[in-house]
Amino acid sequence: MPSAIAKKALQNKAITKKQYDKLPEKLLDKVASHNLELQKKARKNPAKGGTKEVHKKMGKQKGKPGRPKAGSTVKVKK
């Protein structure tokens, strides 16, 4: 009979029904407790990517191919 930890993990979708049915008790408890800990540590919201910097070519370089050189203007998108 699986423990309360395994039942809780199954309810929280930390383990699958197939794992719950087929794994031996000790291994199931270990996997369930590990996966529940990982769920606790998981972020609630995805991490912000920070501000996106876009370099724009200015003057003579504007029509040329390739990456912007030093001195190009930097626009920060939020």
Side-chain angles (χ1 to χ4, degrees), residues 13-62:
K13 297 184 181 178
I15 59 171
T16 63
K17 178 75 172 140
K18 192 172 182 181
Q19 286 174 323
Y20 184 80
D21 292 338
K22 294 197 174 188
L23 288 177
E25 263 187 70
K26 277 190 170 184
L27 183 59
L28 182 64
D29 289 343
K30 208 62 160 153
V31 169
S33 62
H34 175 74
N35 288 355
L36 285 172
E37 283 298 316
L38 287 180
Q39 279 186 344
K40 283 182 189 175
K41 288 181 183 177
R43 294 179 66 100
K44 301 296 181 212
N45 299 323
K48 281 192 170 183
T51 55
K52 180 87 174 172
E53 289 186 356
V54 178
H55 288 257
K56 296 286 181 186
K57 293 188 219 174
M58 299 299 292
K60 291 180 183 176
Q61 290 185 359
K62 195 169 188 179

Side-chain angles (χ1 to χ4, degrees), residues 55 61 67-73:
H55 288 257
Q61 290 185 359
R67 66 178 183 80
K69 303 293 186 239
S72 57
T73 60

